[in-house]
Amino acid sequence: MKIKVINPNTTLSMTAKIGEAAASVAAPGTEVVAVSPRMGPVSIEGHYDEAISAIGVIDEVRRGEEEGFDGYLIACFDDPGLAAAREIAKGPVVGIAEAAMHTASYISGGFTVVATLHRSRIILEHLARAYGMDHKCRKVRTTSLAVLDLEVEGSDAQSVIFEECRRAIAEDGSDCIVLGCAGMADLVAAIHKEVGVPVIDGVTAGVKVLEGLIGLGVTTSRLGGYAHPLKKTYIGSMAQYQPD
Amino acid sequence: MKIKVINPNTTLSMTAKIGEAAASVAAPGTEVVAVSPRMGPVSIEGHYDEAISAIGVIDEVRRGEEEGFDGYLIACFDDPGLAAAREIAKGPVVGIAEAAMHTASYISGGFTVVATLHRSRIILEHLARAYGMDHKCRKVRTTSLAVLDLEVEGSDAQSVIFEECRRAIAEDGSDCIVLGCAGMADLVAAIHKEVGVPVIDGVTAGVKVLEGLIGLGVTTSRLGGYAHPLKKTYIGSMAQYQPD
Amino acid sequence: MKIKVINPNTTLSMTAKIGEAAASVAAPGTEVVAVSPRMGPVSIEGHYDEAISAIGVIDEVRRGEEEGFDGYLIACFDDPGLAAAREIAKGPVVGIAEAAMHTASYISGGFTVVATLHRSRIILEHLARAYGMDHKCRKVRTTSLAVLDLEVEGSDAQSVIFEECRRAIAEDGSDCIVLGCAGMADLVAAIHKEVGVPVIDGVTAGVKVLEGLIGLGVTTSRLGGYAHPLKKTYIGSMAQYQPD
Amino acid sequence: MKIKVINPNTTLSMTAKIGEAAASVAAPGTEVVAVSPRMGPVSIEGHYDEAISAIGVIDEVRRGEEEGFDGYLIACFDDPGLAAAREIAKGPVVGIAEAAMHTASYISGGFTVVATLHRSRIILEHLARAYGMDHKCRKVRTTSLAVLDLEVEGSDAQSVIFEECRRAIAEDGSDCIVLGCAGMADLVAAIHKEVGVPVIDGVTAGVKVLEGLIGLGVTTSRLGGYAHPLKKTYIGSMAQYQPD
Amino acid sequence: MKIKVINPNTTLSMTAKIGEAAASVAAPGTEVVAVSPRMGPVSIEGHYDEAISAIGVIDEVRRGEEEGFDGYLIACFDDPGLAAAREIAKGPVVGIAEAAMHTASYISGGFTVVATLHRSRIILEHLARAYGMDHKCRKVRTTSLAVLDLEVEGSDAQSVIFEECRRAIAEDGSDCIVLGCAGMADLVAAIHKEVGVPVIDGVTAGVKVLEGLIGLGVTTSRLGGYAHPLKKTYIGSMAQYQPD
Amino acid sequence: MKIKVINPNTTLSMTAKIGEAAASVAAPGTEVVAVSPRMGPVSIEGHYDEAISAIGVIDEVRRGEEEGFDGYLIACFDDPGLAAAREIAKGPVVGIAEAAMHTASYISGGFTVVATLHRSRIILEHLARAYGMDHKCRKVRTTSLAVLDLEVEGSDAQSVIFEECRRAIAEDGSDCIVLGCAGMADLVAAIHKEVGVPVIDGVTAGVKVLEGLIGLGVTTSRLGGYAHPLKKTYIGSMAQYQPD
């Protein structure tokens, strides 16, 4: 099976890191292709970046349908464009936030999400609630780290994240860490070693969720709210996204 | 004060209707300008249309900031682009779904949302839950009507809507109707006459909410999740939306 | 339009302050009359005071109906008598707690209510839950301040409130302050200056909500739970409140 | 122990019926006194009646404290004045709605409340939610019956109630009936015979809850939201209720 | 009436203590028999112990049915085997966690559960949520105490519990303590003296709840999810528990 | 990897069917072994059967640990013994109800669970709520079918299930069917053909979830509520289950 992992931001070093993480857990026979869109922000920090990045996600899913992918993983913890992508992809589409939180729920009595900038907190709290995971997510911890700080060699990003993970265990009563940014996908082992509890990264979790769905032969229901977009006219710069 | 009412779809007959509804309740001194974006779908029916339409909303808010608007109303019941718009507008931004549901909560013990196509149901249920109105919203009723059926003279749109409104009263135990599409803004009086309970349209409700916020001198908090987008590079076709 | 702002307690200095706040945001053409009931407690601190004060609220609404008011604002953050008042007023009735919380939800990702005595905490938490705002209200902060401490020149009331507002920002992750007592209506500007986030006072917010509802021409639904009281006998000292 | 059962309405035939029901389950050594207040409505149907009736409840609790009662049961399914009464009574105070719903939760997988007029539905739904019983209460069924219809010999009240109870079993998937009006306290056996499931009446349930609390030697906490009312001035017709 | 109090663990010193507590509040005419099962763990700390202990609870209820008991109290704060026991007992069955939490809700604005080992926290949080008491239960506080530490003369168990109770008042805003282990049943008076708020122990609370249910003549509904187990074959070591 | 699929009931024809379903979706390299416990009920219908069956589940997990399994699937839709099994298994443990519901949430806007006997309804509703899936699960539909009716050639079981599935689509507004019994695992294709929406069976879904977790190298957190059982004495017939 072929899975397209879409890093909705356009920072290719992060895409490479995400691709490596995804490939590291892919089953034999699973081909993982990690891409960044041709357009959009270099990082996604807030609702505005997120709304813009959805176009890139859509663009990559549309191209992916022609390229013959069996499923898609949206590799930003805001899950941008997730519902829209479900309407246009034949195969299943999964976001890393939903994948990480549902996956954590199988092995944890209560987890903490450790994310980047404080401004993302309400986005992640909203997602936890929308996914029904608010009773499992004891806290969303945010930091002073920008997403791209995670790409800088020698930054203190790792130590900041470690500190929040330690506090998650000590103060939140959590028994599991969920990494709240795709850019942390390479930190799983180090954090696990540091805090000794399971660490769930949405990129790797999402690959396994997709392998599962594709393996089951199920895909997004076409009956209800995720039916294919209706044929209609799109004008102006968005005409290119007009549904077929 | 100047309020920009953005119909996120590009059907100008609907924009005109929305503009008339908005103007009909505007206080003396409130200037209402109703627009459609320069790009996007002719109607918004589902998550895909919604995600695309957010670009048009953003485009209009960005232009509006240069034009000197004091606040914005997003006149589609999916509230597309609402959170993103809040980050870039100096003044407050309100969506018609949130305006309608909160407004109804002041005068009703339980309301039914009557909307267009069945595929919108999960979007509206999600909004009700996100806004904390799920205990007030007894039911989201959807129909076989497309949004643009509302623009066709002589269609049976009105009779279909009336029928759902009657069922809302008879079967849901609701005491108030919330119109689940900006394209129904001209039906308030007729429906009220038909079913005898308050009918809340988000376009008119949203104008009053905005007048209230602007009159109070308050706007979106800049401290947390709605802070102005961070400066960063946007590439490709989205470069034009790069935050300042 | 004529709006009656009812301070449910009988401390006239507070009524004057409330009236000033209400008038300061009233639109041209809105006449605001602030009153205290002819009976009841000098301050409302707890369920008992609240239950008694509901009689005063009812008394003023009944008088108001004869005086020709178009709507009513109940200016105590416990919203005493709100549902009862809705049944007897032709126009809409709004409580300052509900007005403040719904208003804050348009501009905030999460707010803290800062109130007076600790004993009010469960009342305000109950209201937040009843209004569907418990996911938006990050914390109800209470203090050692009695309501009437706010009326005393030279008390440390302001500094106590400022301290809680600072903690709301620093500890609760809130981006907005909701003032949990009508007696704080004169502190909006000072607190905003101190903490730099939007500060919502229910008195001013409530005036704008009422202007909105009256401007829309909608009022409490008569079909369901807010129908006019049924004709029936009331005996003893309550005979005077027998419904017509 | 001495328990005062307060029928908050002033219809003495109902008070007598409530008193009989209460006495029928009282343990040896429990003295039950059923009273109606000296003031207030002949029946409680809606928020307005309820707010007024709270004064009567308060009046009876204040008198009860002088008469030496050990606890109080508020015998109207709206639980009027419950929180206020808790602040002024030395012993515990229980409402029949809370008593009935909590009691049903021990023996039922899901119950239906069968009440009187439709206008009470939102009150009872609000109580179920406030008590945390909304997941146990599958439905609140209301009828065209006025409260006092239950007092009329030869009315069809019983058959209307029976029909709703049958529908509760057949349509709601409930396995238990909760009677939503104190005036139904004499119907327990007949309904149980009719529908074959447990039938919980709040009057009898409330007596047992009170016997339990008093037997445990516990009473309302004085630390928090139910502390004794603060000393303060009450003016006008409410001066008589000024806290000591 | 005869009530069987089942301590689901097999530590007889604890059973004796539980029996004393139960007897201390039993009404005249209530015969309380406290037992431990013939099989199972010496203490219940976690889900595994709990699942095993359910067999002992079932065994005792089955024997109890032959011995002629009118009701059963499951005296472990995890409420092990509660739903199963309801299906096989003719009379009502109550767990001490549900009894304690519902009882506390009548006298408290918000309580803290103080329990033993940290590993029990998610069990108790789950119960609070399942019983609808999560909005009343402000916090579940756990400690480093094993259950059997409570049985050791001269241990620091009491001082550890006192400390958590003090913190519950100071930090959680709670006005009531719920004891989260049957082994604390003898500490009620001492803790109450220490912290000055009501202290609810599930053993004593549960006896009163059972007296209430039996006094009302109601028992578990047989219509729905608690119907008697269907006749069927059980094999192997569980054959002895085959339903009749 | 080796996965043990435990059918908690002792009907071997069902175990065989479950094993076939599990094997049909297993990835290359996944060895699936389906077993029934050596003790327990022939079918699980209600809380009592469920509590007893947990012993069989525990017994099989304990044996599985010696046999070298990497993970366990509990193949009864009540998820009996799930939390207990998590404490004693080194690898992850998943229940088919949680697997099915979380899996459905990735591809559906709202699903209906179609199960066997009506008595199971409250168990499944409780699970949906406990897993945070109550907002996704529009309805739990139960029938007059006993579990073992599914094993009888020529019974009308299939037509009864089909009818409920059709009603789920037509009446519940669901876009996906979740099969509420492991014994339906062979009906996926037929139901999908009948109703045209995705059909999720927990047995196959659970195999993929386990493959995912094991593939990620994560297992149940040992820090909190799922820590290994503490060493302690178990007496009587349960002594054999004493933790090591």
Side-chain angles (χ1 to χ4, degrees):
Chain A
M1 73 182 70
K2 282 178 64 184
I3 293 175
K4 193 171 199 177
V5 178
I6 303 169
N7 170 17
N9 78 33
T10 57
T11 296
L12 297 181
S13 64
M14 190 176 292
T15 312
K17 181 165 60 174
I18 289 168
E20 279 170 41
S24 75
V25 299
T30 300
E31 182 186 347
V32 170
V33 177
V35 300
S36 275
R38 299 177 293 183
M39 70 281 291
V42 292
S43 64
I44 297 170
E45 295 163 320
H47 304 91
Y48 181 84
D49 290 347
E50 183 191 333
I52 297 291
S53 74
I55 303 299
V57 170
I58 285 169
D59 191 65
E60 284 300 331
V61 173
R62 286 168 63 100
R63 288 150 59 94
E65 289 298 281
E66 292 177 4
E67 296 157 351
F69 282 96
D70 298 298
Y72 301 87
L73 180 63
I74 301 178
C76 165
F77 209 82
D78 295 355
D79 291 355
L82 174 57
R86 278 189 178 137
E87 293 188 3
I88 55 172
K90 275 190 293 295
V93 186
V94 169
I96 64 170
E98 62 171 358
M101 289 196 251
H102 287 296
T103 296
S105 81
Y106 295 116
I107 58 164
S108 161
F111 58 79
T112 291
V113 175
V114 175
T116 50
L117 287 180
H118 297 302
R119 65 182 301 150
S120 294
R121 179 172 167 183
I122 62 171
I123 296 177
L124 305 194
E125 289 175 343
H126 173 77
L127 289 182
R129 197 160 176 259
Y131 297 148
M133 292 292 109
D134 40 338
H135 69 303
K136 279 283 191 174
C137 178
R138 291 187 178 279
K139 187 157 191 151
V140 173
R141 285 188 173 269
T142 49
T143 65
S144 57
L145 293 174
V147 169
L148 296 185
D149 289 345
L150 297 166
E151 301 303 291
V152 180
E153 287 283 335
S155 81
D156 66 346
Q158 193 165 318
S159 67
V160 170
I161 294 166
F162 278 25
E163 173 60 15
E164 289 302 317
C165 292
R166 280 188 297 263
R167 294 182 63 191
I169 307 303
E171 298 173 19
D172 307 346
S174 289
D175 64 9
C176 175
I177 302 292
V178 168
L179 299 179
C181 178
M184 300 176 184
D186 56 341
L187 299 179
V188 172
I191 296 173
H192 177 64
K193 194 173 163 195
E194 180 70 20
V195 293
V197 299
V199 178
I200 302 295
D201 155 57
V203 175
T204 47
V207 168
K208 304 314 278 185
V209 170
L210 272 172
E211 287 180 347
L213 294 170
I214 296 167
L216 291 173
V218 295
T219 187
T220 308
S221 179
R222 298 304 166 201
L223 183 70
Y226 296 123
H228 194 79
L230 297 171
K231 270 199 161 172
K232 64 181 62 167
T233 303
Y234 279 30
I235 70 165
S237 62
M238 291 297 129
Q240 60 186 305
Y241 297 113
Q242 183 171 311
D244 311 316
Chain B
M1 73 181 72
K2 281 177 66 184
I3 293 175
K4 194 172 198 178
V5 178
I6 303 169
N7 169 18
N9 79 33
T10 56
T11 296
L12 298 182
S13 64
M14 190 175 293
T15 312
K17 182 165 58 176
I18 289 167
E20 278 170 42
S24 74
V25 299
T30 300
E31 182 186 348
V32 170
V33 178
V35 301
S36 274
R38 297 177 294 183
M39 68 282 288
V42 292
S43 64
I44 299 171
E45 295 163 320
H47 304 90
Y48 181 83
D49 290 347
E50 183 191 332
I52 297 292
S53 74
I55 302 301
V57 169
I58 284 168
D59 191 65
E60 284 301 331
V61 172
R62 285 168 63 99
R63 289 151 59 94
E65 290 297 282
E66 293 177 4
E67 295 156 350
F69 281 96
D70 298 298
Y72 301 87
L73 180 64
I74 301 178
C76 164
F77 209 83
D78 295 355
D79 290 356
L82 174 58
R86 280 191 175 135
E87 294 188 2
I88 55 172
K90 275 190 294 294
V93 186
V94 170
I96 63 169
E98 61 171 359
M101 289 195 252
H102 288 296
T103 296
S105 80
Y106 294 116
I107 58 163
S108 161
F111 57 79
T112 291
V113 175
V114 175
T116 51
L117 286 180
H118 296 303
R119 65 182 300 151
S120 294
R121 179 173 167 181
I122 62 171
I123 297 178
L124 305 196
E125 288 176 342
H126 173 77
L127 289 182
R129 197 161 177 259
Y131 297 147
M133 292 294 108
D134 40 339
H135 68 304
K136 279 282 191 174
C137 178
R138 292 188 178 276
K139 186 156 191 152
V140 173
R141 287 188 172 268
T142 49
T143 64
S144 57
L145 293 175
V147 168
L148 295 186
D149 289 345
L150 297 166
E151 301 303 293
V152 180
E153 286 285 334
S155 81
D156 66 345
Q158 193 165 318
S159 67
V160 169
I161 293 166
F162 278 24
E163 173 61 15
E164 288 302 317
C165 292
R166 279 189 296 263
R167 294 182 62 192
I169 307 303
E171 299 174 19
D172 308 346
S174 290
D175 64 10
C176 175
I177 302 293
V178 169
L179 299 179
C181 179
M184 299 176 185
D186 56 342
L187 299 179
V188 172
I191 296 173
H192 176 62
K193 194 174 162 194
E194 180 71 20
V195 293
V197 299
V199 178
I200 302 295
D201 154 58
V203 174
T204 46
V207 168
K208 304 315 278 185
V209 170
L210 273 172
E211 286 180 347
L213 295 169
I214 296 168
L216 290 172
V218 296
T219 187
T220 308
S221 179
R222 298 304 166 201
L223 183 70
Y226 297 122
H228 194 80
L230 297 171
K231 273 199 159 173
K232 64 181 62 166
T233 303
Y234 280 31
I235 70 166
S237 61
M238 291 297 129
Q240 59 187 307
Y241 297 112
Q242 183 171 311
D244 311 315
Chain C
M1 72 182 71
K2 283 177 65 184
I3 293 175
K4 193 171 198 179
V5 178
I6 303 169
N7 170 18
N9 78 32
T10 56
T11 296
L12 297 182
S13 63
M14 190 175 292
T15 311
K17 181 165 60 175
I18 288 168
E20 279 170 42
S24 74
V25 299
T30 300
E31 182 187 348
V32 170
V33 178
V35 300
S36 274
R38 298 177 292 183
M39 70 282 290
V42 291
S43 64
I44 299 171
E45 296 162 320
H47 304 90
Y48 181 83
D49 289 347
E50 184 191 332
I52 297 291
S53 74
I55 302 300
V57 169
I58 285 168
D59 191 65
E60 284 301 330
V61 172
R62 286 168 63 100
R63 290 151 58 94
E65 289 297 282
E66 293 176 4
E67 295 155 352
F69 281 97
D70 298 298
Y72 301 86
L73 181 63
I74 301 178
C76 164
F77 209 81
D78 295 356
D79 291 354
L82 175 58
R86 279 192 175 135
E87 294 188 3
I88 55 171
K90 276 189 294 294
V93 186
V94 169
I96 65 169
E98 63 171 358
M101 289 196 252
H102 288 295
T103 296
S105 81
Y106 295 115
I107 58 163
S108 161
F111 57 79
T112 292
V113 175
V114 175
T116 50
L117 286 180
H118 297 303
R119 65 183 299 152
S120 294
R121 179 174 168 180
I122 61 171
I123 296 177
L124 305 195
E125 288 176 343
H126 173 77
L127 288 183
R129 196 160 178 260
Y131 297 149
M133 293 293 107
D134 40 338
H135 69 304
K136 280 282 191 174
C137 178
R138 291 188 178 277
K139 187 156 191 153
V140 173
R141 286 188 173 270
T142 49
T143 64
S144 56
L145 292 174
V147 168
L148 296 186
D149 289 345
L150 297 166
E151 302 302 292
V152 179
E153 286 285 335
S155 82
D156 67 346
Q158 194 165 317
S159 67
V160 169
I161 293 167
F162 279 24
E163 174 61 15
E164 289 302 317
C165 291
R166 280 189 296 263
R167 294 181 62 190
I169 307 302
E171 299 174 19
D172 308 346
S174 290
D175 64 9
C176 175
I177 302 294
V178 168
L179 299 179
C181 178
M184 300 176 183
D186 57 341
L187 299 178
V188 172
I191 296 173
H192 177 63
K193 192 173 164 196
E194 180 71 20
V195 293
V197 299
V199 178
I200 302 295
D201 154 58
V203 175
T204 47
V207 168
K208 304 314 277 185
V209 170
L210 272 173
E211 286 181 346
L213 294 170
I214 296 167
L216 290 172
V218 295
T219 188
T220 307
S221 180
R222 298 302 165 201
L223 183 70
Y226 297 122
H228 194 80
L230 296 172
K231 271 199 162 174
K232 64 181 61 165
T233 303
Y234 280 31
I235 69 165
S237 61
M238 291 296 130
Q240 59 186 307
Y241 297 113
Q242 183 170 311
D244 310 316
Chain D
M1 72 183 70
K2 281 177 66 185
I3 293 176
K4 192 172 198 177
V5 179
I6 304 169
N7 169 19
N9 78 33
T10 56
T11 296
L12 297 182
S13 63
M14 190 175 293
T15 311
K17 181 165 59 174
I18 289 169
E20 278 170 41
S24 73
V25 299
T30 300
E31 181 187 347
V32 170
V33 178
V35 300
S36 274
R38 300 178 292 183
M39 69 282 290
V42 291
S43 63
I44 298 172
E45 295 162 320
H47 305 89
Y48 181 84
D49 289 347
E50 184 191 333
I52 297 291
S53 74
I55 302 300
V57 170
I58 285 169
D59 191 65
E60 284 300 331
V61 173
R62 285 167 64 100
R63 288 150 60 94
E65 289 298 281
E66 292 177 4
E67 296 156 350
F69 281 96
D70 298 298
Y72 301 86
L73 180 64
I74 301 177
C76 164
F77 209 81
D78 295 355
D79 290 356
L82 175 58
R86 278 189 177 137
E87 294 188 2
I88 54 172
K90 276 190 292 295
V93 186
V94 170
I96 64 169
E98 63 171 359
M101 290 196 251
H102 288 295
T103 296
S105 81
Y106 295 116
I107 59 164
S108 162
F111 57 79
T112 291
V113 174
V114 175
T116 50
L117 286 180
H118 297 302
R119 64 183 301 151
S120 294
R121 179 173 167 182
I122 63 172
I123 296 177
L124 305 195
E125 288 175 344
H126 173 78
L127 289 182
R129 196 161 177 258
Y131 297 148
M133 292 293 109
D134 39 339
H135 69 304
K136 280 282 192 174
C137 177
R138 292 186 178 279
K139 187 155 190 152
V140 173
R141 285 186 173 271
T142 49
T143 64
S144 55
L145 293 174
V147 168
L148 296 186
D149 289 344
L150 298 165
E151 302 302 293
V152 179
E153 287 284 335
S155 81
D156 66 345
Q158 193 165 318
S159 67
V160 169
I161 294 167
F162 278 25
E163 173 60 15
E164 289 303 316
C165 292
R166 280 188 297 263
R167 293 181 63 190
I169 307 303
E171 299 173 19
D172 307 346
S174 290
D175 64 9
C176 174
I177 302 293
V178 169
L179 299 179
C181 179
M184 300 176 184
D186 55 342
L187 299 179
V188 172
I191 296 174
H192 177 62
K193 193 173 164 197
E194 179 72 18
V195 293
V197 299
V199 177
I200 301 296
D201 155 57
V203 175
T204 47
V207 168
K208 303 316 277 185
V209 170
L210 272 172
E211 287 180 348
L213 294 170
I214 296 167
L216 291 173
V218 295
T219 187
T220 308
S221 180
R222 298 303 166 202
L223 183 70
Y226 297 122
H228 194 79
L230 296 172
K231 270 199 164 173
K232 64 182 60 167
T233 303
Y234 280 31
I235 69 165
S237 61
M238 292 296 129
Q240 59 186 307
Y241 297 113
Q242 184 172 310
D244 311 315
Chain E
M1 71 183 72
K2 281 177 66 183
I3 293 175
K4 192 171 199 179
V5 178
I6 304 170
N7 169 20
N9 78 32
T10 55
T11 297
L12 297 181
S13 64
M14 190 175 293
T15 311
K17 181 165 59 175
I18 288 168
E20 279 170 42
S24 75
V25 299
T30 300
E31 181 187 347
V32 170
V33 178
V35 300
S36 274
R38 300 177 292 184
M39 68 282 289
V42 293
S43 64
I44 298 171
E45 295 161 322
H47 304 90
Y48 181 83
D49 290 348
E50 184 192 331
I52 297 292
S53 74
I55 302 300
V57 169
I58 285 169
D59 192 66
E60 284 301 331
V61 173
R62 286 167 63 99
R63 289 150 59 92
E65 289 297 283
E66 294 176 4
E67 296 155 351
F69 282 96
D70 299 298
Y72 301 86
L73 180 64
I74 302 178
C76 165
F77 208 82
D78 296 355
D79 289 355
L82 174 58
R86 280 191 176 135
E87 293 188 3
I88 55 172
K90 275 190 293 296
V93 186
V94 169
I96 65 169
E98 61 171 0
M101 289 196 252
H102 288 296
T103 296
S105 81
Y106 295 116
I107 58 162
S108 161
F111 57 78
T112 291
V113 175
V114 175
T116 51
L117 286 180
H118 296 302
R119 65 181 301 150
S120 294
R121 180 174 166 181
I122 62 172
I123 296 177
L124 305 195
E125 288 176 343
H126 172 77
L127 289 183
R129 197 160 177 260
Y131 297 148
M133 292 293 108
D134 41 338
H135 69 303
K136 280 283 192 176
C137 178
R138 292 187 177 277
K139 187 157 191 151
V140 173
R141 286 187 172 271
T142 49
T143 65
S144 57
L145 293 174
V147 168
L148 297 185
D149 290 345
L150 297 166
E151 302 303 293
V152 179
E153 286 283 336
S155 83
D156 67 344
Q158 193 164 318
S159 68
V160 169
I161 292 166
F162 278 24
E163 174 60 15
E164 288 302 317
C165 292
R166 279 188 297 262
R167 294 182 63 190
I169 306 302
E171 299 174 19
D172 308 346
S174 289
D175 64 9
C176 174
I177 302 293
V178 168
L179 299 179
C181 178
M184 300 176 183
D186 56 341
L187 299 178
V188 172
I191 295 174
H192 176 63
K193 193 173 163 196
E194 180 70 20
V195 294
V197 300
V199 178
I200 302 295
D201 155 58
V203 175
T204 46
V207 168
K208 303 314 278 185
V209 170
L210 272 172
E211 287 181 346
L213 294 169
I214 296 167
L216 290 173
V218 295
T219 187
T220 308
S221 179
R222 297 303 166 202
L223 181 70
Y226 296 122
H228 195 79
L230 296 172
K231 271 201 161 172
K232 64 182 60 167
T233 304
Y234 279 31
I235 69 166
S237 61
M238 291 296 129
Q240 59 187 306
Y241 297 113
Q242 183 171 310
D244 311 315
Chain F
M1 72 182 70
K2 282 177 65 184
I3 292 174
K4 192 171 199 177
V5 178
I6 303 169
N7 170 19
N9 78 33
T10 56
T11 296
L12 297 182
S13 63
M14 190 175 293
T15 310
K17 180 165 61 175
I18 288 168
E20 279 170 42
S24 74
V25 300
T30 300
E31 181 186 347
V32 170
V33 178
V35 300
S36 273
R38 300 177 291 184
M39 68 283 288
V42 292
S43 64
I44 299 171
E45 295 163 320
H47 304 91
Y48 181 83
D49 290 347
E50 184 192 331
I52 297 291
S53 74
I55 302 300
V57 170
I58 284 169
D59 191 66
E60 284 301 329
V61 173
R62 285 167 64 99
R63 289 150 58 94
E65 289 298 281
E66 293 177 5
E67 295 155 352
F69 282 96
D70 299 298
Y72 301 87
L73 181 63
I74 301 177
C76 164
F77 209 82
D78 295 355
D79 290 354
L82 175 57
R86 280 193 176 134
E87 293 188 4
I88 56 172
K90 276 191 293 295
V93 187
V94 170
I96 64 169
E98 63 171 359
M101 288 196 253
H102 288 297
T103 296
S105 81
Y106 295 116
I107 58 163
S108 162
F111 57 79
T112 291
V113 175
V114 175
T116 50
L117 287 180
H118 296 302
R119 64 182 301 151
S120 294
R121 180 173 167 181
I122 63 171
I123 296 177
L124 306 195
E125 288 176 342
H126 173 77
L127 289 182
R129 198 160 177 259
Y131 296 150
M133 293 292 108
D134 41 339
H135 69 304
K136 280 282 191 177
C137 178
R138 291 186 179 277
K139 188 156 191 153
V140 173
R141 285 186 173 270
T142 49
T143 64
S144 56
L145 293 174
V147 168
L148 295 186
D149 289 344
L150 297 166
E151 302 302 293
V152 179
E153 287 283 336
S155 82
D156 66 346
Q158 194 164 318
S159 67
V160 169
I161 294 166
F162 278 24
E163 174 60 16
E164 288 302 317
C165 291
R166 280 189 296 263
R167 294 181 63 189
I169 306 303
E171 299 174 18
D172 308 346
S174 289
D175 64 8
C176 175
I177 302 294
V178 168
L179 299 179
C181 179
M184 300 176 184
D186 56 341
L187 300 179
V188 172
I191 296 173
H192 176 63
K193 193 172 163 197
E194 180 70 20
V195 293
V197 299
V199 177
I200 302 295
D201 154 59
V203 175
T204 47
V207 169
K208 304 314 279 185
V209 170
L210 272 172
E211 287 180 348
L213 294 169
I214 296 167
L216 290 172
V218 295
T219 188
T220 308
S221 179
R222 298 303 165 201
L223 182 68
Y226 297 122
H228 194 80
L230 297 172
K231 272 198 159 171
K232 65 182 59 165
T233 303
Y234 279 30
I235 69 166
S237 61
M238 291 296 130
Q240 58 186 307
Y241 297 112
Q242 182 170 310
D244 312 315

